[in-house]
Amino acid sequence: MTWRTTYEKWDSYQGMDPTLKKQLEEMGSSKIELEDAFYKELTFGTGGMRGTLGPGTNRMNIYTVRKAVNGLVNYLKANSEDVETRGIAVAYDSRYMSKEFAIETAKVLGAFGITSYVFESLRPTPILSFAVRHLGAVAGVMITASHNPPEYNGFKVYNEDGGQITPSEAAQIIKSVQAIKDELCVPVNEQVKVEQNGLLNWIGEEVDQAYLKSLKSISRYQHGSNRFEPITIVFTPLHGTSFHPVMDGLTQLGFNHVHVVEDQANPDPEFSTVSSPNPEEHQAFKMAIEQGKRVDADILIATDPDSDRLGVAVKDGKNAYTVLSGNQLGTLMLDYLLSQSSQELLDNGRLIKTIVTTEMGRAVASHYGVGTIDTLTGFKFIGEKIKEFETTKEQFLFGYEESYGYLIGDFVRDKDAVQAAMVACEMTSFWKAKGKTLIEALHTLYERHGYYLEDMTSLTLKGKDGAEKIAKMMADIRENEVTQIGGLPVVYVEDYATSERTAMATGSKEKIELPTENVVKFLLTNNSWVCLRPSGTEPKIKCYFGVSSGSMDESNSLLQQLKEDMTQKINKSV
């Protein structure tokens, strides 16, 4: 079926949602826009499907959501037990259509006789992960597009362990979704009927209180022998979901000097005070920094809209604030947690990080006698490893990725900005008692382990043409042998699509014991590395860089060399 045939089917559908019908009519004069909306179906990436709102099979709308739910139902019925009675937990964030998509999910589930547990109001992604485990649900659905622009929304699926679906699960769900030939004819019941039949259950406070109780367990106060100092905190939820859980969690731990950025406290699908609601981008801290200076804050914390990512800014000693990178914040939290853990925990403890996360984490973990496990990019792989620990009896201590995702307590199986906010504030208090800011604490770690620096560049290429260009770039990098980057020789090439690690000097190969993925990583001399990876959720190709040396100046110089050379190599393929 061509894209035009699919478009005509939608255009002639008598029961079309009025809003989508109007949008279709407005798109009718643009062949490019119509083709992009209908040339393919939204597929599951690193955590589910995500796309721009609007009509079409390549857009987020009630029909593509219904089809995804129908496919999920068929998959669960074929692979799980007691699906109807165990039910599915559903949560949603502050974006356009989020609550509507959550209710559509419940309406489709109800048509199949499956119970849904839908939060009465918006909630963070980690609380959805917690709810799946707490309720014993067979799966979970989170309606969110994380930190993407306002025109996006998404549908993330969680398995019964509360983790993002794994690649094997995703492959089966995709197959199940694709088997449904007509997204416009998915069975659906009216909301009132589903409620009357007891198949739509609204949930809230009981789950929230259970989460808060578990949240308290990650505190290391009881292990530390040092006196903790009161600190002043500035907090912004960036118009998202984290206001209540973060504030309740901080109060529970005894942090009473919390100043909220009021203009960013309320949910807002336009994210009107920031150009992007992403704490990875420094502009998101503009208002928090202004408020931090007024109240002389020790730490500024910002969460993304669905509250699975945390950004932090701290005093830099020059009457200003520095935004920490995800690698820096994660390494600081790791060191704090391990330094305050019992020897019993450390003896069998494990750090889990991704292949593009700083190698400084491995150095810190080794310092405390803790082993490090690497996974592919995506927190679903970290959650999967935690599940394996139930059999291996290894002890999960910390998991993180460079893109501001962290997990401390395994009662959640996805990155959790609420947990991370608690630990970030606690360790700020810990270091303040020692007379140091987090910046000074970070330099203490650099002096101990080496000056590890990382960076990432990305190239956005939207639409069908963009996807083809990204595919060509990855093909070119594989076909044309790269022997050096930034003047540093390539020692090994790791191709995760073929699961092979090749030694450049001998040509010998060894197997990479990780799932396959379209990623190429170059291991260079001087503990440096470069990794090229198309995003699973955005129309981007990302290039990650890591270096280590005995001084900050040398590391900065090495990093710049790598970035300049790799940018040239990538641009030649565009």
Side-chain angles (χ1 to χ4, degrees):
M1 189 178 291
T2 66
W3 72 264
R4 185 168 290 280
T5 303
T6 307
Y7 157 65
E8 290 171 352
K9 182 185 76 170
W10 277 56
D11 191 46
S12 62
Y13 178 53
Q14 295 299 309
M16 178 61 60
D17 173 82
T19 300
L20 294 176
K21 180 69 173 177
K22 182 179 179 181
Q23 291 173 335
L24 268 180
E25 292 171 353
E26 293 170 351
M27 292 165 59
S29 60
S30 174
K31 176 182 179 296
I32 294 175
E33 193 174 358
L34 282 174
E35 182 177 6
D36 192 57
F38 287 97
Y39 85 96
K40 68 172 184 175
E41 296 179 355
L42 283 179
T43 55
F44 283 77
T46 57
M49 70 178 187
R50 184 183 300 178
T52 54
L53 293 162
T57 55
N58 190 31
R59 296 288 185 266
M60 285 293 300
N61 52 65
I62 62 171
Y63 303 109
T64 53
V65 167
R66 288 175 181 178
K67 183 173 181 177
V69 178
N70 195 164
L72 175 62
V73 166
N74 292 345
Y75 162 78
L76 290 172
K77 285 190 170 184
N79 293 276
S80 303
E81 296 181 355
D82 303 322
V83 176
E84 290 83 0
T85 54
R86 291 176 64 192
I88 294 176
V90 184
Y92 53 93
D93 69 5
S94 57
R95 289 179 173 275
Y96 288 117
M97 297 298 294
S98 282
K99 187 170 186 178
E100 289 86 346
F101 289 161
I103 292 173
E104 287 296 325
T105 299
K107 287 162 61 177
V108 175
L109 293 174
F112 287 94
I114 297 173
T115 302
S116 60
Y117 299 93
V118 184
F119 278 96
E120 60 193 0
S121 57
L122 52 80
R123 291 296 190 283
T125 290
I127 292 184
L128 181 276
S129 172
F130 176 84
V132 172
R133 298 174 59 79
H134 180 73
L135 297 169
V138 71
V141 169
M142 181 72 198
I143 307 298
T144 180
S146 189
H147 56 273
N148 282 81
E151 64 269 22
Y152 279 78
N153 212 327
F155 181 95
K156 292 177 71 174
V157 178
Y158 286 76
N159 57 32
E160 64 182 353
D161 190 49
Q164 294 182 35
I165 52 173
T166 63
S168 61
E169 291 169 332
Q172 294 178 72
I173 294 171
I174 290 168
K175 185 177 180 181
S176 181
V177 172
Q178 290 174 339
I180 300 163
K181 299 306 179 184
D182 192 348
E183 62 280 342
L184 301 178
C185 297
V186 171
V188 58
N189 281 349
E190 291 303 313
Q191 179 181 340
V192 64
K193 182 178 179 181
V194 180
E195 290 177 325
Q196 288 173 348
N197 292 338
L199 295 176
L200 196 172
N201 298 277
W202 296 99
I203 59 174
E205 185 175 347
E206 186 271 333
V207 176
D208 296 337
Q209 291 303 312
Y211 174 82
L212 271 175
K213 182 178 179 180
S214 295
L215 189 64
K216 193 172 184 179
S217 70
I218 69 173
S219 172
R220 292 299 199 269
Y221 276 160
Q222 61 267 35
H223 296 300
S225 58
N226 296 285
R227 181 172 63 89
F228 287 85
E229 293 289 328
I231 60 170
T232 300
I233 302 162
V234 167
F235 164 49
T236 173
L238 294 178
H239 305 294
T241 60
S242 70
F243 177 81
H244 291 294
V246 168
M247 292 300 291
D248 290 346
L250 290 173
T251 299
Q252 180 175 251
L253 290 178
F255 292 109
N256 301 314
H257 304 290
V258 183
H259 300 263
V260 178
V261 180
E262 295 296 340
D263 288 344
Q264 297 176 328
N266 293 324
D268 174 10
E270 281 294 322
F271 312 112
S272 53
T273 65
V274 291
S275 58
S276 171
N278 185 356
E280 292 182 76
E281 298 178 16
H282 293 190
Q283 55 78 27
F285 276 92
K286 183 176 184 295
M287 297 180 76
I289 288 173
E290 291 170 355
Q291 188 159 335
K293 290 178 178 178
R294 289 196 297 270
V295 301
D296 192 29
D298 296 289
I299 183 172
L300 320 177
I301 56 176
T303 56
D304 70 341
D306 69 323
S307 309
D308 61 356
R309 298 171 194 256
L310 176 78
V312 162
V314 294
K315 290 179 178 178
D316 65 1
K318 300 175 183 177
N319 197 32
Y321 288 88
T322 294
V323 179
L324 297 176
S325 73
N327 284 313
Q328 290 170 334
L329 177 58
T331 302
L332 279 165
M333 287 198 288
L334 172 66
D335 179 76
Y336 168 70
L337 291 165
L338 297 188
S339 73
Q340 300 301 298
S341 294
S342 67
Q343 190 60 49
E344 183 180 1
L345 279 177
L346 296 176
D347 285 344
N348 205 33
R350 297 292 182 269
L351 160 68
I352 310 176
K353 72 174 193 66
T354 72
I355 60 172
V356 295
T357 300
T358 178
E359 286 297 301
M360 191 172 181
R362 192 186 311 277
V364 170
S366 179
H367 176 77
Y368 292 98
V370 170
T372 298
I373 295 173
D374 291 295
T375 71
L376 292 177
T377 304
F379 231 86
K380 60 177 173 278
F381 297 112
I382 294 177
E384 191 176 23
K385 276 294 176 187
I386 297 172
K387 175 67 174 175
E388 290 177 12
F389 288 174
E390 295 174 7
T391 300
T392 64
K393 305 304 179 184
E394 293 165 278
Q395 178 67 49
F396 171 72
L397 295 180
F398 188 61
Y400 75 125
E401 58 186 5
E402 96 300 334
S403 54
Y404 286 53
Y406 318 98
L407 183 63
I408 299 95
D410 63 4
F411 52 88
V412 169
R413 296 297 167 90
D414 198 2
K415 50 188 178 289
D416 187 342
V418 183
Q419 287 191 33
M422 302 305 109
V423 171
C425 291
E426 192 173 296
M427 75 173 178
T428 300
S429 174
F430 170 83
W431 282 107
K432 187 175 181 180
K434 294 177 175 292
K436 291 186 177 182
T437 66
L438 289 188
I439 289 291
E440 292 167 331
L442 182 62
H443 280 272
T444 297
L445 297 184
Y446 284 144
E447 290 166 7
R448 180 188 298 166
H449 302 290
Y451 289 82
Y452 289 81
L453 292 182
E454 299 79 27
D455 205 350
M456 188 270 290
T457 60
S458 65
L459 180 63
T460 300
L461 296 166
K462 294 183 178 181
K464 183 180 178 182
D465 289 345
E468 291 172 351
K469 287 178 180 178
I470 289 173
K472 182 179 182 299
M473 285 182 200
M474 294 303 294
D476 287 347
I477 208 75
R478 288 184 168 100
E479 292 169 5
N480 301 307
E481 185 178 90
V482 177
T483 58
Q484 63 83 28
I485 302 175
L488 298 179
V490 176
V491 182
Y492 292 97
V493 177
E494 296 181 337
D495 190 337
Y496 290 84
T498 60
S499 299
E500 289 183 334
R501 186 180 200 235
T502 303
M504 295 298 286
T506 64
S508 62
K509 299 179 183 293
E510 57 182 284
K511 185 174 176 58
I512 299 173
E513 300 295 339
L514 288 174
T516 59
E517 190 168 277
N518 187 18
V519 175
V520 177
K521 186 173 183 179
F522 301 96
L523 304 182
L524 316 173
T525 55
N526 293 5
N527 291 319
S528 299
W529 55 271
V530 174
C531 187
L532 197 61
R533 169 184 170 265
S535 172
T537 56
E538 301 170 278
K540 292 181 178 181
I541 184 165
K542 297 182 177 182
C543 194
Y544 303 83
F545 306 88
V547 300
S548 174
S549 77
S551 74
M552 185 63 76
D553 287 344
E554 184 181 355
S555 289
N556 273 316
S557 177
L558 282 172
L559 192 60
Q560 191 61 32
Q561 289 172 220
L562 296 185
K563 289 173 62 178
E564 289 176 358
D565 190 11
M566 202 63 190
T567 298
Q568 290 179 3
K569 286 178 167 61
I570 290 172
N571 288 341
K572 287 179 181 178
S573 297
V574 178

